[in-house]
mmCIF file of all heavy atoms in Angstrom:
data_model
loop_
_atom_site.group_PDB
_atom_site.id
_atom_site.type_symbol
_atom_site.label_atom_id
_atom_site.label_comp_id
_atom_site.label_asym_id
_atom_site.label_seq_id
_atom_site.Cartn_x
_atom_site.Cartn_y
_atom_site.Cartn_z
ATOM 1 N N PRO A 125 68.256 2.577 -83.648
ATOM 2 C CA PRO A 125 67.424 1.978 -82.698
ATOM 3 C C PRO A 125 67.192 0.486 -83.059
ATOM 4 O O PRO A 125 67.489 0.156 -84.143
ATOM 5 C CB PRO A 125 66.129 2.723 -82.668
ATOM 6 C CG PRO A 125 66.067 3.272 -83.978
ATOM 7 C CD PRO A 125 67.419 3.498 -84.399
ATOM 8 N N GLY A 126 66.854 -0.312 -82.074
ATOM 9 C CA GLY A 126 66.539 -1.675 -82.383
ATOM 10 C C GLY A 126 66.488 -2.461 -81.012
ATOM 11 O O GLY A 126 66.421 -1.937 -80.028
ATOM 12 N N LEU A 127 66.660 -3.806 -81.177
ATOM 13 C CA LEU A 127 66.646 -4.597 -79.975
ATOM 14 C C LEU A 127 67.981 -4.644 -79.333
ATOM 15 O O LEU A 127 69.025 -4.781 -79.970
ATOM 16 C CB LEU A 127 66.339 -6.100 -80.433
ATOM 17 C CG LEU A 127 65.034 -6.416 -81.184
ATOM 18 C CD1 LEU A 127 65.038 -7.751 -81.768
ATOM 19 C CD2 LEU A 127 63.879 -6.169 -80.172
ATOM 20 N N ALA A 128 68.020 -4.472 -77.994
ATOM 21 C CA ALA A 128 69.376 -4.118 -77.313
ATOM 22 C C ALA A 128 70.309 -5.334 -77.552
ATOM 23 O O ALA A 128 71.492 -5.119 -78.020
ATOM 24 C CB ALA A 128 69.030 -3.909 -75.911
ATOM 25 N N GLY A 129 69.882 -6.451 -77.315
ATOM 26 C CA GLY A 129 70.816 -7.585 -77.334
ATOM 27 C C GLY A 129 71.201 -7.842 -78.714
ATOM 28 O O GLY A 129 72.507 -8.092 -78.937
ATOM 29 N N ALA A 130 70.363 -7.664 -79.763
ATOM 30 C CA ALA A 130 70.710 -7.851 -81.107
ATOM 31 C C ALA A 130 71.781 -6.770 -81.593
ATOM 32 O O ALA A 130 72.769 -6.983 -82.135
ATOM 33 C CB ALA A 130 69.511 -7.853 -81.990
ATOM 34 N N LEU A 131 71.416 -5.643 -81.147
ATOM 35 C CA LEU A 131 72.344 -4.415 -81.489
ATOM 36 C C LEU A 131 73.745 -4.622 -80.986
ATOM 37 O O LEU A 131 74.752 -4.448 -81.445
ATOM 38 C CB LEU A 131 71.895 -3.167 -80.873
ATOM 39 C CG LEU A 131 70.686 -2.448 -81.632
ATOM 40 C CD1 LEU A 131 70.080 -1.406 -80.781
ATOM 41 C CD2 LEU A 131 71.107 -1.897 -82.949
ATOM 42 N N LEU A 132 73.843 -5.306 -79.589
ATOM 43 C CA LEU A 132 74.976 -5.480 -79.038
ATOM 44 C C LEU A 132 76.000 -6.390 -79.759
ATOM 45 O O LEU A 132 77.180 -6.356 -79.655
ATOM 46 C CB LEU A 132 74.896 -5.865 -77.480
ATOM 47 C CG LEU A 132 74.465 -4.884 -76.627
ATOM 48 C CD1 LEU A 132 73.968 -5.554 -75.264
ATOM 49 C CD2 LEU A 132 75.603 -3.903 -76.282
ATOM 50 N N VAL A 133 75.488 -7.368 -80.519
ATOM 51 C CA VAL A 133 76.174 -8.434 -81.214
ATOM 52 C C VAL A 133 77.001 -7.611 -82.300
ATOM 53 O O VAL A 133 78.208 -7.752 -82.365
ATOM 54 C CB VAL A 133 75.429 -9.552 -81.776
ATOM 55 C CG1 VAL A 133 76.111 -10.449 -82.614
ATOM 56 C CG2 VAL A 133 74.649 -10.147 -80.728
ATOM 57 N N GLY A 134 76.196 -6.859 -83.138
ATOM 58 C CA GLY A 134 76.845 -6.234 -84.286
ATOM 59 C C GLY A 134 77.860 -5.136 -83.747
ATOM 60 O O GLY A 134 79.095 -5.084 -84.209
ATOM 61 N N ALA A 135 77.513 -4.466 -82.562
ATOM 62 C CA ALA A 135 78.331 -3.375 -82.049
ATOM 63 C C ALA A 135 79.744 -4.136 -81.604
ATOM 64 O O ALA A 135 80.801 -3.560 -81.768
ATOM 65 C CB ALA A 135 77.707 -2.571 -80.982
ATOM 66 N N ALA A 136 79.547 -5.222 -80.867
ATOM 67 C CA ALA A 136 80.738 -5.964 -80.232
ATOM 68 C C ALA A 136 81.641 -6.352 -81.212
ATOM 69 O O ALA A 136 82.955 -6.147 -81.246
ATOM 70 C CB ALA A 136 80.273 -6.963 -79.320
ATOM 71 N N VAL A 137 81.069 -7.060 -82.347
ATOM 72 C CA VAL A 137 81.905 -7.572 -83.387
ATOM 73 C C VAL A 137 82.667 -6.461 -84.013
ATOM 74 O O VAL A 137 83.811 -6.615 -84.392
ATOM 75 C CB VAL A 137 80.972 -8.413 -84.377
ATOM 76 C CG1 VAL A 137 81.752 -8.918 -85.649
ATOM 77 C CG2 VAL A 137 80.603 -9.687 -83.644
ATOM 78 N N ALA A 138 81.893 -5.369 -84.473
ATOM 79 C CA ALA A 138 82.447 -4.443 -85.204
ATOM 80 C C ALA A 138 83.620 -3.659 -84.338
ATOM 81 O O ALA A 138 84.729 -3.393 -84.884
ATOM 82 C CB ALA A 138 81.494 -3.258 -85.424
ATOM 83 N N GLN A 139 83.415 -3.489 -83.126
ATOM 84 C CA GLN A 139 84.436 -2.861 -82.285
ATOM 85 C C GLN A 139 85.683 -3.762 -81.984
ATOM 86 O O GLN A 139 86.718 -3.289 -82.072
ATOM 87 C CB GLN A 139 83.816 -2.404 -80.850
ATOM 88 C CG GLN A 139 82.756 -1.332 -81.033
ATOM 89 C CD GLN A 139 83.496 0.051 -81.200
ATOM 90 O OE1 GLN A 139 84.704 0.267 -81.290
ATOM 91 N NE2 GLN A 139 82.709 1.137 -81.212
ATOM 92 N N ALA A 140 85.266 -5.053 -81.843
ATOM 93 C CA ALA A 140 86.468 -6.078 -81.749
ATOM 94 C C ALA A 140 87.282 -6.015 -83.039
ATOM 95 O O ALA A 140 88.607 -6.086 -82.908
ATOM 96 C CB ALA A 140 85.829 -7.379 -81.465
#
Side-chain angles (χ1 to χ4, degrees):
L127 300 169
L131 288 167
L132 280 168
V133 177
V137 169
Q139 290 285 3

